[in-house]
Amino acid sequence: MRAVKAFCLAILAGAAAVPAQAQLAPGISGYSNSPMEGTQRDYWYLVRQLGHCLSRSEREQSVTFLATEPGSRAEGAAWDDLFNNGRTNNPCMQNFVSASIIRAHVRGAMAESIFERWVDDQENGISPVFSEPETVTGIHDFADCFVARHFEIAHGLVENTKISTQGELRFIQEIVSEFGPCLPVGQDVRIVPTDVRLAIAEALYRTTIQRSDNQNAGA
């Protein structure tokens, strides 16, 4: 029987309760000559943009980043390499001059972008191999469990909705009843839809692309 420890999805998603900010370049939001403070919508637009752009322009660094343990020193080093890479500025930031971004958000957005492109390239369909975690200690274990049990639903979530939108919220509200077997019994768990979605996106990536790369490397 899988041993399940109590956890809070919101906290273990990467301190998602901490405010995240983004600053737009002068003139983008009005006529000021100074950078403008971005809105929450601007922040999530930036997360989506970074996921799409970095996973294309910095594919090798992106794969290295996604292979690290969340919250580890290795993740921090890979993060720095992903954004610096010998440049004075990162074109994937577009009109944003600075931002305080939660790594877990970018991890999920990058994994989702790579996964979506990979799915589009599959001519003979998808045949992922699943293995449920024996112990659920955090949101990534929860996501691995859910994807193993409900791959098509998880795929539909990332395919049919955008990150941090009303469509995403409605979709998760419709499937939340399926979360039960992957959650701790008798414990209160706070569901943060976008954090759940990004963890599921990364689980889809690990179940398909990362697993395939690891098998090829070991061949």
Side-chain angles (χ1 to χ4, degrees), residues 22-72:
Q23 281 194 323
L24 291 157
I28 298 302
S29 293
Y31 300 96
S32 172
N33 290 324
S34 300
M36 302 292 292
E37 193 72 22
T39 64
Q40 186 178 41
R41 179 178 295 182
D42 292 327
Y43 172 81
W44 287 114
Y45 169 81
L46 176 59
V47 168
R48 292 192 295 268
Q49 174 61 25
L50 287 174
H52 176 76
C53 181
L54 288 173
S55 63
R56 280 186 178 275
S57 63
E58 306 291 343
R59 173 60 188 260
E60 183 177 345
Q61 288 84 355
S62 297
V63 170
T64 298
F65 174 61
L66 289 170
T68 62
E69 186 72 19
S72 66

